[in-house]
Amino acid sequence: MKMSNPNHGLFADLLQEALRSQQDLSAVERFSREHEEGEIHTQSRYYKNLIPLSLPKQGEQYGFEVDLDSCTGCKACVTACHVMNGLDEFEVWREVGTLVGGSVELPMAQYVTSACHHCLDPECLTGCPVKAYEKDKVTGIVKHLDDQCIGCQYCVLKCPYDVPKYNERIGIVRKCDMCSDRLSSGEAPACVQACPNKAIRITVVNKQKVREDCELDSFLPGAPDPTHTHPTTNYKTQHALPRNLLPADYHVVRPQPSHMPLVFMLVFTQLSVGIYIVQGILGFFSDYQIGSLAWKVNLISGFITGILGIGISTFHLGRPLLAFRAFLGFRTSWMSREIVVFGAYMASGGTLVLFLLIPFNNDVNGWVNSFHMVTIVFGCLGVFCSAMIYHDTPRPYWNFARTGRRFFLTTIGLGISGVFFLRVLSLGFKTSTSNLEILDFPGNYLLPTLMIVGLVKLLDEIGFLFHLGDKRNTIFKKSVHLLLGPLLQIFAARIVCGLVGGVALPLILIMDRGNAQSHGATSFLSFFLVSSFASLLVAELLERKLFFQAVVPPKMPGAIAE
């Protein structure tokens, strides 16, 4: 009697299942066959069931609706959007990501297609310094005005969904506008028409319901907090999604662009403001009073440094010749406010420099002191606006507590070190100059202050590394992984330079100050002061570079990392 092989039945079942799966066409194959057989029309006017038949009423607007159950991740919508809008090779306005979760017994991978969500409160619109965005009053579609854009890329930082894309070839930002021209003619947007499973459609949404849904955080698992902008895209499904769904790229962190023109702009403008502040304090001492050599050197250097920083910042713009428009968004944009305030700062500082041409007397001195105070006030406001630019983005790494603290400490530290450096330039290399004349009376206070500021900054940055012990994979923990991973060399160089220029050398000068009079020449002291300033300047430039590169931006779920 033959014994039946139990594996034979299992093999037969697997074979039958494989044959059945081969007979089931994919979504793209089904769409292609139906198209060849004439069952599908090529013009979008035949997709009227996927777009609204009437305009939104009061309290309503258009919004995307995505059926997660029908999305297969085929990226036909991505291709259609790319072709229809004539995008450059690596430019995308619609992307497809993946959510993964479930259990070992029942794993799940959910594809997610996303583009601009045409939010109720679009941050790209409020942050733009030149008003290059507008929200249609009837349809609610958020449009980008290409002709108005100067390519500052602030909207890229402001949008929590990584929607605006900077095009280096033409120097402006562009994004999805829901194919508004096609919609106005009764045609379906490219992504809607291209989807073989009709997973994307345009619907009319109620604004109040959108706000309520966002408060319940029912937007999409793994997506940024919807209460920030109130996105109108509706992701729907008939199935209960696992609670542990996470973006497929959740654990992937990459250094962000360094934005080097902004690095130099921030450091140089803060150095400029710092010099004006320190000179204002030193104005009570005879060597730094109005008309003295130190007074003239400090004011001129502060003005030149500020102009240099603002000038370098224009290299960050895609269309710098249109930068004069930056005041247009003053009511809502912190970038616009920063530009206007620093413009006033440089005008006031330039007026101070003009006073160098006027013979000084008591009447003129009053005006000089007034303009000096006004310049300091505008400078501090400018540094505050710089910090608010980044605080106003949905990036916790740039919150005001950290950013404002670092920016103002940089201002004070570089200001003190810069004034000592300028003192060396104006006096230090004269053979008749003594060491005490270089450090003079304020050195008793400025050197310890410089050391304290440098030490506080270093402890603040090193203390941030303790987020590595966070139990959850928080935004801060991801930034630490960047600092200790691909950015480790820059981070280490920043710490070493900051320690040398902001702590070690000032400490040596403080300890040696008692013997300063015994030195026959000033070369030793001058070298230490110049080295301290150079090291500190390099340290601050590296710190500001890390400021941009170590941030983890919010975004929609991405694809599985290769």
Side-chain angles (χ1 to χ4, degrees):
M1 180 177 179
K2 286 187 177 182
M3 297 291 295
S4 61
N5 186 353
N7 293 328
H8 178 73
L10 177 62
F11 177 77
D13 291 342
L14 290 175
L15 180 61
Q16 291 295 327
E17 180 63 27
L19 291 174
R20 280 196 300 270
S21 64
Q22 288 183 353
Q23 295 174 359
D24 184 18
L25 300 178
S26 68
V28 176
E29 290 171 330
R30 289 198 306 272
F31 183 84
S32 178
R33 174 174 292 184
E34 292 174 0
H35 183 277
E36 291 176 355
E37 294 174 356
E39 297 179 11
I40 293 181
H41 297 283
T42 57
Q43 293 127 349
S44 62
R45 63 175 176 270
Y46 294 101
Y47 288 77
K48 291 190 181 297
N49 60 326
L50 299 178
I51 61 175
L53 299 179
S54 60
L55 292 173
K57 300 176 182 178
Q58 185 70 24
E60 298 177 336
Q61 74 160 72
Y62 286 156
F64 283 112
E65 182 179 273
V66 177
D67 185 354
L68 295 176
D69 299 336
S70 300
C71 181
T72 61
C74 68
K75 297 187 179 181
C77 54
V78 178
T79 302
C81 176
H82 188 279
V83 173
M84 183 61 65
N85 291 289
L87 306 185
D88 287 355
E89 183 177 0
F90 298 105
E91 187 178 16
V92 289
W93 292 358
R94 176 170 283 279
E95 300 180 81
V96 174
T98 310
L99 291 169
V100 294
S103 61
V104 176
E105 295 79 12
L106 191 62
M108 180 177 185
Q110 175 64 62
Y111 296 108
V112 178
T113 176
S114 66
C116 178
H117 300 299
H118 301 280
C119 306
L120 300 184
D121 306 304
E123 287 293 306
C124 56
L125 186 151
T126 58
C128 182
V130 295
K131 292 190 174 182
Y133 286 90
E134 67 176 11
K135 186 173 177 66
D136 190 277
K137 295 181 180 180
V138 177
T139 63
I141 296 175
V142 179
K143 300 179 182 179
H144 181 263
L145 309 178
D146 292 358
D147 293 339
Q148 188 76 3
C149 181
I150 61 174
C152 70
Q153 304 170 56
Y154 187 42
C155 56
V156 177
L157 304 182
K158 287 277 286 179
C159 177
Y161 307 105
D162 191 30
V163 167
K165 305 295 183 183
Y166 180 66
N167 187 306
E168 293 185 3
R169 179 180 61 83
I170 55 180
I172 64 171
V173 169
R174 303 196 295 184
K175 75 168 196 69
C176 156
D177 66 350
M178 204 181 277
C179 291
S180 55
D181 291 341
R182 294 167 64 86
L183 272 177
S184 62
S185 302
E187 304 281 337
C191 57
V192 172
Q193 182 175 351
C195 181
N197 280 350
K198 300 181 180 180
I200 310 173
R201 64 191 307 133
I202 308 298
T203 61
V204 174
V205 298
N206 182 279
K207 295 181 181 180
Q208 182 59 34
K209 187 176 187 306
V210 168
R211 295 186 185 278
E212 293 172 355
D213 290 343
C214 288
E215 289 295 331
L216 296 174
D217 198 13
S218 60
F219 177 51
L220 180 74
D225 181 6
T227 60
H228 195 69
T229 63
H230 298 101
T232 60
T233 301
N234 177 32
Y235 289 97
K236 68 174 188 177
T237 177
Q238 299 297 322
H239 303 90
L241 298 176
R243 296 179 60 184
N244 64 346
L245 274 184
L246 289 174
D249 59 347
Y250 180 74
H251 295 282
V252 177
V253 289
R254 298 184 181 89
Q256 296 301 300
S258 59
H259 299 292
M260 288 308 296
L262 296 183
V263 168
F264 280 94
M265 176 266 173
L266 290 171
V267 172
F268 281 20
T269 53
Q270 288 160 26
L271 168 61
S272 172
V273 175
I275 291 175
Y276 277 112
I277 292 175
V278 175
Q279 170 56 46
I281 296 173
L282 295 179
F284 295 101
F285 304 100
S286 59
D287 284 355
Y288 296 89
Q289 288 179 352
I290 296 175
S292 66
L293 175 62
W295 182 84
K296 294 178 181 179
V297 170
N298 289 343
L299 290 191
I300 293 175
S301 299
F303 179 75
I304 292 175
T305 305
I307 286 291
L308 183 61
I310 293 174
I312 292 176
S313 69
T314 60
F315 288 97
H316 187 257
L317 302 178
R319 302 165 73 184
L321 296 180
L322 300 179
F324 65 90
R325 297 175 175 174
F327 70 93
L328 294 175
F330 186 82
R331 290 184 57 192
T332 60
S333 172
W334 280 105
M335 175 167 284
S336 185
R337 293 165 185 167
E338 180 203 46
I339 293 171
V340 172
V341 170
F342 269 128
Y345 166 74
M346 295 315 305
S348 181
T351 304
L352 270 178
V353 173
L354 290 178
F355 276 119
L356 296 175
L357 306 176
I358 301 175
F360 292 97
N361 53 55
N362 292 333
D363 295 333
V364 175
N365 287 356
W367 284 99
V368 172
N369 285 326
S370 297
F371 270 101
H372 195 168
M373 289 302 300
V374 170
T375 303
I376 292 175
V377 170
F378 276 128
C380 291
L381 284 175
V383 175
F384 173 77
C385 289
S386 294
M388 285 302 300
I389 283 176
Y390 302 100
H391 168 76
D392 202 36
T393 65
R395 306 186 179 198
Y397 186 74
W398 287 346
N399 66 71
F400 186 79
R402 298 184 68 254
T403 303
R405 180 171 66 245
R406 292 189 177 188
F407 281 15
F408 278 101
L409 286 175
T410 296
T411 300
I412 300 301
L414 281 181
I416 295 173
S417 185
V419 165
F420 275 126
F421 172 72
L422 295 172
R423 184 72 165 169
V424 170
L425 292 185
S426 59
L427 295 176
F429 295 105
K430 292 183 179 180
T431 57
S432 60
T433 303
S434 69
N435 288 336
L436 286 179
E437 188 178 358
I438 295 177
L439 293 177
D440 56 39
F441 176 71
N444 288 328
Y445 301 95
L446 293 183
L447 283 175
T449 303
L450 174 60
M451 190 182 72
I452 292 172
V453 169
L455 192 59
V456 168
K457 282 208 71 177
L458 288 175
L459 291 176
D460 184 29
E461 294 173 43
I462 294 174
F464 182 75
L465 300 181
F466 283 99
H467 282 289
L468 188 63
D470 292 350
K471 293 183 178 180
R472 297 179 62 245
N473 193 27
T474 63
I475 294 293
F476 292 152
K477 187 174 183 177
K478 292 180 180 180
S479 292
V480 174
H481 280 300
L482 287 174
L483 292 173
L484 299 180
L487 301 175
L488 179 59
Q489 291 183 345
I490 300 175
F491 182 66
R494 183 271 176 278
I495 296 298
V496 171
C497 290
L499 188 63
V500 170
V503 180
L505 291 180
L507 179 61
I508 293 174
L509 290 171
I510 292 172
M511 296 175 64
D512 191 63
R513 182 170 170 77
N515 302 320
Q517 198 169 11
S518 65
H519 293 301
T522 62
S523 57
F524 173 80
L525 180 63
S526 300
F527 173 77
F528 267 50
L529 289 173
V530 171
S531 298
S532 175
F533 174 71
S535 298
L536 198 58
L537 182 60
V538 171
E540 293 303 320
L541 289 171
L542 293 176
E543 187 269 329
R544 211 49 46 85
K545 178 179 170 67
L546 292 171
F547 174 79
F548 286 107
Q549 289 199 283
V551 68
V552 178
K555 58 186 288 295
M556 292 295 288
I560 298 175
E562 297 179 358

